[in-house]
Amino acid sequence: MNMIKAIDIHKQFNDLEVLKGISLTVDKGEVIAIIGPSGSGKSTFLRCLNRLETIDRGTIEIEGETLVTGGTDGQVRYAVEAEARQICRKMGMVFQQFNLFPHLTVLENLVEAPITVKGVKREEIIPQAEELLRKVGLAEKRDVFPSRLSGGQKQRVAIARALAMNPDIMLFDEPTSALDPELTGEVLKAMRKLAEEHMTMIVVTHEMAFAREVANRVIFMDNGEIVEQGTPEAVFGSPSHPRTKAFLQRV
């Protein structure tokens, strides 16, 4: 079953065409790494998948449910609001910046959305949240405020917070780009663990070692297009497109 099916996605900001017909399917348990130069449309594509950005043309289906379709006649049709929210809840997202609530403890950051958005009872979600904190190695930080955490710890809390909504798919938008190099490893370790548990993941990343070692498929984007895709061995070992070769030589 396709967890994500994106067909001919177009997105324009004023006169700038950011996405030029992106098509991608993601299967259950697959880990996709999207690499490419800054400004190539990687993050915009990710944000279109969960409706943080609206598209101008194309179709997006999440687990067989249509989030949006159309645009060839100038009219894009999104699912009705309640249905669209339900579809988007199937996906958790982790951003470059951690976006934790500074006035809430680590544990309260995790339980806030399940209680307010999904109506989960507090006594049900707290044990789940504590287990997620153990999973990302931060059980001892449950009652600490975000200001007392390192950047790597904050990002691991952000991952646990996204997982607290029990998503079927995780989207990562350059989750280590705001971190010092020595803090990057602890975040990638948490993401590797998710991959080992067969979480369906799309990861926009500049971490080439992570893409090579963890991804099932690597996608190279440039100038709003998918230029090349394949196994990590194929893309990193013998890229077929000159733009891919040039990018990998630079990084």
Side-chain angles (χ1 to χ4, degrees), residues 67 84-85 98 144 154 186 200 208 213 218 222 233 241:
L67 175 65
R85 282 200 304 269
F98 325 116
V144 171
K154 288 176 184 176
E186 61 193 45
T200 305
M208 297 300 129
E213 295 164 15
V218 176
D222 191 19
E233 294 78 15
H241 199 286

Side-chain angles (χ1 to χ4, degrees), residues 2-247:
N2 294 143
M3 299 294 279
I4 295 175
K5 189 174 184 179
I7 304 169
D8 194 32
I9 304 302
H10 290 255
K11 175 65 180 176
Q12 196 162 320
F13 292 110
N14 298 318
D15 294 331
L16 179 63
E17 194 176 8
V18 180
L19 300 177
K20 304 173 182 177
I22 300 291
S23 293
L24 176 68
T25 58
V26 182
D27 292 331
K28 186 175 178 63
E30 196 173 13
V31 179
I32 305 289
I34 303 181
I35 64 172
S38 297
S40 58
K42 307 183 301 295
S43 294
T44 299
F45 174 64
L46 216 59
R47 293 170 67 86
C48 287
L49 291 177
N50 64 2
R51 208 179 52 145
L52 290 176
E53 299 285 357
T54 56
I55 66 172
D56 299 318
R57 193 170 96 211
T59 298
I60 297 173
E61 296 176 3
I62 307 298
E63 294 185 50
E65 295 186 85
T66 300
L67 175 65
V68 58
T69 190
T72 52
D73 59 355
Q75 188 69 41
V76 175
R77 299 167 188 84
Y78 274 85
V80 296
E81 184 61 27
E83 188 180 337
R85 282 200 304 269
Q86 198 66 36
I87 293 170
C88 289
R89 278 181 203 156
K90 297 175 185 289
M91 295 172 282
M93 187 158 181
V94 178
F95 300 87
Q96 296 176 34
Q97 302 299 329
F98 325 116
N99 298 329
L100 299 179
F101 297 116
H103 63 291
L104 298 179
T105 65
V106 164
L107 184 69
E108 293 297 331
N109 262 279
L110 265 65
V111 305
E112 177 72 13
I115 291 171
T116 58
V117 176
K118 297 180 76 175
V120 179
K121 288 185 171 60
R122 185 177 181 84
E123 58 269 24
E124 288 179 22
I125 190 60
I126 283 182
Q128 296 174 35
E130 290 173 335
E131 177 56 34
L132 286 171
L133 288 176
R134 279 191 288 274
K135 178 183 279 192
V136 297
L138 291 172
E140 77 285 358
K141 301 293 185 183
R142 73 188 293 280
D143 298 318
V144 171
F145 286 92
S147 61
R148 305 298 299 272
L149 301 177
S150 70
Q153 290 170 335
K154 288 176 184 176
Q155 193 61 294
R156 283 185 284 157
V157 172
I159 292 171
R161 182 176 64 175
L163 291 170
M165 289 293 281
N166 199 28
D168 296 331
I169 301 160
M170 285 289 287
L171 309 176
F172 293 88
D173 185 10
E174 298 189 23
T176 60
S177 65
L179 300 177
D180 294 332
E182 66 267 24
L183 299 176
T184 295
E186 61 193 45
V187 175
L188 295 179
K189 181 180 177 182
M191 292 169 64
R192 277 191 175 91
K193 191 169 183 180
L194 283 180
E196 289 166 3
E197 294 171 357
H198 306 293
M199 170 64 78
T200 305
M201 298 162 60
I202 302 182
V203 184
V204 170
T205 184
H206 289 299
E207 298 292 335
M208 297 300 129
F210 177 86
R212 184 192 290 264
E213 295 164 15
V214 179
N216 305 112
R217 189 160 31 123
V218 176
I219 290 171
F220 174 69
M221 281 183 66
D222 191 19
N223 196 29
E225 299 174 306
I226 292 179
V227 175
E228 185 166 351
Q229 63 177 302
T231 64
E233 294 78 15
V235 173
F236 288 107
S238 54
S240 60
H241 199 286
R243 279 194 280 176
T244 315
K245 291 178 184 176
F247 173 77

